[in-house]
Amino acid sequence: MKKLLLSATALCVLGVPALAQVSDNKVKIGILNDQSGVYADFGGKWSFEAAKMAVEDFGGKVLDAPIEVVTADHQNKPDIASNIARQWYDTEQVDSIMELTTSSVALAVQALSKEKNKITITTGAATTELTGAQCTPIGFHWAYDTHALAVGTGGALVEQGGDSWFFLTADYAFGYSLEEQTGNFVKAKGGQVLGSVRHPLATTDYSSFLLQAQASGAKVIGLANAGADTQNAIKQATEFGIVAGGQRLAALLFTLSEVNGIGLEAAQGLNLTESFYWNRNAESAEFGKRFMERTGRMPNMIQAGTYSAVLSYLKAIEAAGTDETEAVAAKLHELPVKDVFAENGKVAPNGRMISDVYLMQVKKPGESDIPWDYYNVLATIPGDEAYLDPAKSGCPLVTQ
């Protein structure tokens, strides 16, 4: 009797799983972000802890290979980030890089990773370019982006009466994009943009910018910045009595970590959008409790999103039966995302992970009964409404 010999490729075609394969006999994930600058609380070492939690919850191994997580500080500089990523790939056997706070960094590392044939999953950067004109077949974007923030905070606030806006904007690509997209949604909902002013990254004195915003008479002052920049702007706006005078502050990229940093007294009444809140339901509260036990703080959407990204990557390796890049990327596109971060997530053809986002309002001090309980959820925006239609994203990988 003749024996029929089948290649691994043929086995896969016939639906018979090939032998599990893991390069270097381990899976190594790099968490690359800002750990010392304006975004250190935004993701920072807390995202590293979230990644380790995901590995532990997965069981510490995938396809019988150990999982390792490493981290580094890119200092918000694309050249430093690229050098770290190159070293990780070339000499330290890192298989995938995640988090990538700061849009310029994320774009640089995603491009390098395409060259090196390595998967990136961005959770810390906002630009829609990652899944737009600069998309790659092996680049993914989790947690949030400027489009979702604009829909959540800009569009929803106009519907609640905030129909005139003035923007205070960080003077670099992220700020411009956030201002433009939010302004477009404000106008699409029937509102108007009265003007804007731009400030350098890591500004400490916002007085002249805030006075211009105050003088505009706009009902809403949109803060198109992030991290410590937004915290400082809100603190100084409180000192100027802007909110007390009847104007509303809309933080277009602000998270639970930053609310905690300035306190409820300064942040109360602030409107913002996040794609995760630890006290939204029983499952998220249980995750928050475990995160608190190991870090002393509750997770924001970037940290919870990093947990989800790592978990999804490991599930994709398991489903593919290998850590080979194209096979894992195919499974990331195919598998639903259902975890503590996303109840009904899905990955679009351009690499954008689509899940619900939430319009929040920061509670008054007397409304918060337990530590870190800072939000009232005003609205849930379905993922398909929050995120850009992949066919309109500009990604060349998406066919009409």
Side-chain angles (χ1 to χ4, degrees):
M1 179 183 288
K2 293 183 179 179
K3 292 183 179 180
L4 183 61
L5 299 179
L6 295 176
S7 68
T9 301
L11 285 168
C12 291
V13 169
L14 292 173
V16 181
L19 294 176
Q21 297 180 20
V22 173
S23 59
D24 307 309
N25 297 313
K26 67 175 180 290
V27 171
K28 195 169 183 179
I29 299 167
I31 302 300
L32 185 56
N33 60 13
D34 176 14
Q35 299 178 11
S36 58
V38 294
Y39 303 136
D41 259 6
F42 186 71
K45 61 184 180 181
W46 318 115
S47 288
F48 180 46
E49 289 299 321
K52 291 192 292 184
M53 280 181 70
V55 170
E56 292 165 13
D57 288 351
F58 194 79
K61 289 186 176 184
V62 59
L63 304 179
D64 291 325
I67 306 162
E68 183 180 352
V69 185
V70 296
T71 191
D73 182 357
H74 60 47
Q75 302 173 46
N76 295 313
K77 297 178 180 178
D79 56 338
I80 292 176
S82 295
N83 287 338
I84 293 170
R86 192 177 299 275
Q87 179 179 334
W88 276 357
Y89 290 148
D90 290 348
T91 67
E92 298 184 28
Q93 293 79 52
V94 168
D95 298 295
S96 176
I97 296 177
M98 304 186 194
E99 222 270 39
L100 297 170
T101 309
T102 312
S103 293
S104 56
V105 163
L107 290 167
V109 174
Q110 180 171 279
L112 173 65
S113 299
K114 180 185 178 184
E115 174 191 325
K116 297 291 185 179
N117 196 34
K118 302 287 188 178
I119 287 171
T120 56
I121 306 181
T122 299
T123 59
T127 180
T128 54
E129 283 292 290
L130 288 162
T131 52
Q134 299 189 48
C135 70
T136 81
I138 53 177
F140 298 85
H141 199 179
W142 242 248
Y144 76 106
D145 63 23
T146 51
H147 190 273
L149 299 175
V151 172
T153 308
L157 277 182
V158 173
E159 292 176 354
Q160 296 180 7
D163 56 6
S164 61
W165 285 61
F166 186 96
F167 289 96
L168 196 156
T169 303
D171 194 10
Y172 68 108
F174 153 72
Y176 312 153
S177 176
L178 193 52
E179 176 189 328
E180 179 183 15
Q181 293 192 44
T182 306
N184 288 341
F185 274 97
V186 167
K187 288 180 279 190
K189 292 288 185 178
Q192 56 182 326
V193 176
L194 303 183
S196 67
V197 63
R198 293 175 175 174
H199 69 81
L201 182 68
T203 297
T204 55
D205 183 3
Y206 289 86
S207 56
S208 64
F209 309 121
L210 288 168
L211 286 173
Q212 291 181 62
Q214 189 176 38
S216 73
K219 293 179 182 178
V220 180
I221 299 172
L223 302 176
N225 48 23
D229 282 338
T230 311
Q231 292 184 60
N232 288 331
I234 292 169
K235 288 177 183 176
Q236 292 176 40
T238 301
E239 294 169 4
F240 278 107
I242 287 176
V243 175
Q247 290 174 297
R248 301 172 74 174
L249 293 179
L252 300 177
L253 178 48
F254 207 58
T255 75
L256 194 75
S257 302
E258 289 77 54
V259 172
N260 185 70
I262 65 174
L264 289 183
E265 190 64 40
Q268 60 181 304
L270 190 69
N271 295 106
L272 55 91
T273 298
E274 284 210 61
S275 49
F276 174 85
Y277 179 42
W278 74 269
N279 205 21
R280 195 179 66 83
N281 58 33
E283 186 180 9
S284 59
E286 190 275 334
F287 175 76
K289 180 182 178 182
R290 291 197 296 123
F291 192 86
M292 170 72 83
E293 287 171 350
R294 67 189 291 156
T295 66
R297 60 197 290 125
M298 287 295 181
N300 64 12
M301 65 177 174
I302 288 84
Q303 293 138 14
T306 300
Y307 173 91
S308 174
V310 171
L311 203 59
S312 294
Y313 177 67
L314 297 175
K315 289 177 180 177
I317 292 175
E318 184 176 61
T322 176
D323 67 346
E324 189 272 327
T325 295
E326 284 78 8
V328 175
K331 288 298 180 183
L332 279 167
H333 278 284
E334 175 186 326
L335 296 174
V337 181
K338 185 174 178 58
D339 54 33
V340 71
F341 178 83
E343 297 172 2
N344 56 353
K346 60 184 178 183
V347 177
N350 61 345
R352 172 70 254 172
M353 199 282 279
I354 296 172
S355 62
D356 296 346
V357 301
Y358 309 98
L359 178 66
M360 314 286 197
Q361 185 172 58
V362 178
K363 292 182 175 182
K364 297 176 181 177
E367 296 175 337
S368 180
D369 299 325
I370 55 177
W372 291 84
D373 177 33
Y374 297 154
Y375 293 158
N376 289 313
V377 180
L378 299 183
T380 298
I381 300 101
D384 287 331
E385 295 179 17
Y387 292 102
L388 193 62
D389 180 347
K392 299 178 181 178
S393 67
C395 174
L397 301 174
V398 181
T399 56
Q400 298 289 339

